[in-house]
């Protein structure tokens, strides 16, 4: 009887389709009855559904980013890395970013009772195809408007990595220093060797990150968030 009722309920809820214009509540209602659907997002009230994930164009870059962020999390008590987690930003926007980094206590976001992120994580990462991707257009504006402090976009086809920092309501692009390293302004010690990342040299990426983790700035940050 339970199974029959579940089937009946599912049949009364319209399926989720790419391009649908929905409220966030309706988007969630339709998404929740599609257990085999791995990724769908609501951006400015429009549904975007992901294509199958390619190994070299998405899977591998995604794995590298997660390794980099998880290494930072392991050395930084009080921050949390999440992978492909739904974020409730506002009534028209519910993205599912490839990766995010948040301050657990005293930060901008929280985990809801039904286990979603609510509010803007401090840092979001997206793996994009190219400059034509909505990650650099619609999503960028949504993240900026909702106060995501740092937004990283890896444009795989273009072999480029963009790191944006929110400054007075606008995103400005952070540039590498003379050693070709980009340093987070929100998470001290989160250093990225851009050239090594784009070359697939994960060992060097993690070695440079370790240098950042040894700085006084990182140690002070850990002390600060530990008392929040």
């Amino acid at each position: 009887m339970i199974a029959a009722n579940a089937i009946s309920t599912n049949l009364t809820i319209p399926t989720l389709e790419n391009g649908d214009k929905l409220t966030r509540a309706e988007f969630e209602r339709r998404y929740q009855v599609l257990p085999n659907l791995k990724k769908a997002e609501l951006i400015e009230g429009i549904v975007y559904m992901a294509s199958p994930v390619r190994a070299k164009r998405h899977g591998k870059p995604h794995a590298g980013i997660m390794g980099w962020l998880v290494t930072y999390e392991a050395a930084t008590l009080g921050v949390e890395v999440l992978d492909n987690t739904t974020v409730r930003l506002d009534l028209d926007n519910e993205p599912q970013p490839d990766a995010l980094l948040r301050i657990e206590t005293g930060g901008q976001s929280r985990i809801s009772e039904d286990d979603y992120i609510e509010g803007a994580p401090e840092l979001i990462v997206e793996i994009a195809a190219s400059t034509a991707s909505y990650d650099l257009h619609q999503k960028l504006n949504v993240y900026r408007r909702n106060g995501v402090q740092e937004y990283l976009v890896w444009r795989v086809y273009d072999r480029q990595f963009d790191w944006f920092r929110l400054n007075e309501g606008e995103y400005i692009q952070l540039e590498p220093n003379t050693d070709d390293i980009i340093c987070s302004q929100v998470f001290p010690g989160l250093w990225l060797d851009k050239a090594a990342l784009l070359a697939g040299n994960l060992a060097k990426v993690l070695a440079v990150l370790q240098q950042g983790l040894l700085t006084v700035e990182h140690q002070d940050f850990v002390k600060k968030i530990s008392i929040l």
Side-chain angles (χ1 to χ4, degrees):
M1 181 63 69
I2 293 176
N5 287 342
I7 292 172
S8 176
T9 300
N10 288 353
L11 289 176
T12 64
I13 299 177
T15 189
L16 201 60
E17 299 287 349
N18 205 30
D20 281 345
K21 186 170 181 59
L22 303 174
T23 64
R24 195 181 77 184
E26 180 64 15
F27 169 74
E28 288 189 5
R29 189 170 76 104
R30 297 188 189 189
Y31 199 169
Q32 288 168 358
V33 298
L34 297 172
N36 295 323
L37 180 60
K38 302 302 182 184
K39 184 167 184 175
E41 302 181 292
L42 188 71
I43 306 297
E44 303 290 43
I46 304 296
V47 174
Y48 291 85
M49 299 172 68
S51 302
V53 176
R54 297 181 182 272
K56 298 296 185 182
R57 298 299 187 184
H58 194 283
K60 189 67 174 178
H62 185 124
I65 285 293
M66 290 306 301
W68 173 63
L69 290 176
V70 167
T71 301
Y72 183 81
E73 177 190 48
T76 315
L77 186 65
V79 305
E80 180 178 43
V81 177
L82 294 171
D83 178 9
N84 266 310
T85 301
T86 294
V87 179
R88 291 169 173 157
L89 284 177
D90 59 36
L91 293 178
D92 294 312
N93 291 283
E94 190 166 302
Q96 189 176 327
D98 290 313
L100 65 86
L101 182 63
R102 60 185 290 269
I103 297 173
E104 291 185 282
T105 302
Q108 298 186 152
S109 62
R110 69 180 188 91
I111 297 180
S112 66
E113 291 184 1
D114 54 350
D115 204 29
Y116 293 104
I117 296 294
E118 294 184 342
E122 280 74 22
L123 183 150
I124 281 179
V125 186
E126 299 281 12
I127 310 299
S130 69
T131 53
S133 170
Y134 73 121
D135 293 307
L136 275 169
H137 297 280
Q138 294 97 324
K139 269 191 185 178
L140 184 146
N141 285 324
V142 168
Y143 291 154
R144 175 190 58 78
R145 192 172 67 242
N146 281 278
V148 174
Q149 296 299 302
E150 293 189 333
Y151 180 36
L152 289 61
V153 185
W154 188 344
R155 293 183 282 130
V156 180
Y157 290 161
D158 299 334
R159 295 188 57 80
Q160 291 295 327
F161 193 94
D162 304 304
W163 191 320
F164 300 100
R165 169 74 167 104
L166 192 63
N167 181 49
E168 297 182 350
E170 298 295 334
Y171 274 141
I172 60 172
Q173 189 159 331
L174 296 183
E175 298 296 336
N177 61 23
T178 55
D179 295 320
D180 205 28
I181 296 172
I182 308 177
C183 303
S184 172
Q185 296 183 8
V186 176
F187 293 96
L190 185 62
W191 291 8
L192 179 66
D193 187 321
K194 178 178 176 180
L197 182 75
L198 295 176
N201 188 346
L202 187 58
K204 187 175 180 182
V205 169
L206 296 180
V208 168
L209 174 58
Q210 289 296 336
Q211 294 175 25
L213 296 175
L214 294 174
T215 61
V216 173
E217 290 78 11
H218 178 257
Q219 295 168 17
D220 289 344
F221 177 63
V222 172
K223 291 176 183 177
K224 177 183 177 182
I225 60 177
S226 67
I227 61 175
L228 291 176

